[in-house]
Amino acid sequence: MKRNLTLGLSAFLFLGTSACGLREDAATLYKQETPLQVEMKNEPKISANQETEIQAVLTQNGQAVMDADFMHVEIQKQDGTVAVPMEEARNEGHGIYSFSTRFKEDGLYYIRIHAGNEGSLISPRKQIIVGELTEAELELLKQGPKNKGEASGHHH
């Protein structure tokens, strides 16, 4: 009797664990990430106290994002001061978003795009030069970009 009980229990456990195998479609059961990509474009020579148009082309899965959930822009000077607080970019169509600004003084600046669409979020940063740089700013350029705050995430 004890032997039959042991065999029966063993068979039950074997059948129970064999049903826990991997499904062939297991990867499709999870949310598939569709990463956003942005390419920032600006005028090659930017001067202080002059209206400057900067464009960003937003794509997802190789296609232009016609109407992103959000697309915000902020600009900081290299010293950490805020040159332009976060503002919404204009949707120009065909995945092109733009914003205009006037830099008050020469220097090294960082433009950060905050974009989101269909659950994918990005926050890339681009370094730009306005006018002439100081010796200290030139030295920073030689050292290369720092990854300060490069993480992406939800900011709302």
Side-chain angles (χ1 to χ4, degrees), residues 41-55 75 83-84 87-88 90 92 98-106 111 128-131:
K41 299 180 179 194
N42 58 282
E43 299 170 12
K45 181 95 170 128
I46 298 175
S47 300
N49 295 312
Q50 183 177 358
E51 193 71 20
T52 301
E53 174 91 6
I54 298 176
Q55 292 185 333
I75 302 174
V84 177
E87 64 180 58
E88 192 166 346
R90 292 182 307 275
E92 304 290 345
S98 67
F99 60 98
S100 298
T101 192
R102 184 181 304 266
F103 294 93
K104 293 181 181 173
E105 57 188 50
D106 290 356
I111 297 174
I128 61 169
I129 297 170
V130 176

Side-chain angles (χ1 to χ4, degrees), residues 50-89:
Q50 183 177 358
E51 193 71 20
T52 301
E53 174 91 6
I54 298 176
Q55 292 185 333
V57 180
L58 189 62
T59 58
Q60 192 168 25
N61 288 335
Q63 301 292 318
V65 176
M66 300 299 191
D67 193 22
D69 294 341
F70 63 89
M71 172 73 104
H72 300 135
V73 178
E74 68 178 322
I75 302 174
Q76 284 190 330
K77 195 156 188 223
Q78 172 276 321
D79 63 6
T81 58
V82 175
V84 177
M86 195 177 307
E87 64 180 58
E88 192 166 346

Side-chain angles (χ1 to χ4, degrees), residues 93-131:
H94 304 291
I96 299 171
Y97 296 80
S98 67
F99 60 98
S100 298
T101 192
R102 184 181 304 266
F103 294 93
K104 293 181 181 173
E105 57 188 50
D106 290 356
L108 184 59
Y109 291 84
Y110 296 100
I111 297 174
R112 182 168 308 268
I113 300 285
H114 300 272
N117 193 55
E118 297 178 357
S120 184
L121 307 169
I122 57 171
S123 185
R125 183 175 78 160
K126 181 180 181 182
Q127 180 177 281
I128 61 169
I129 297 170
V130 176

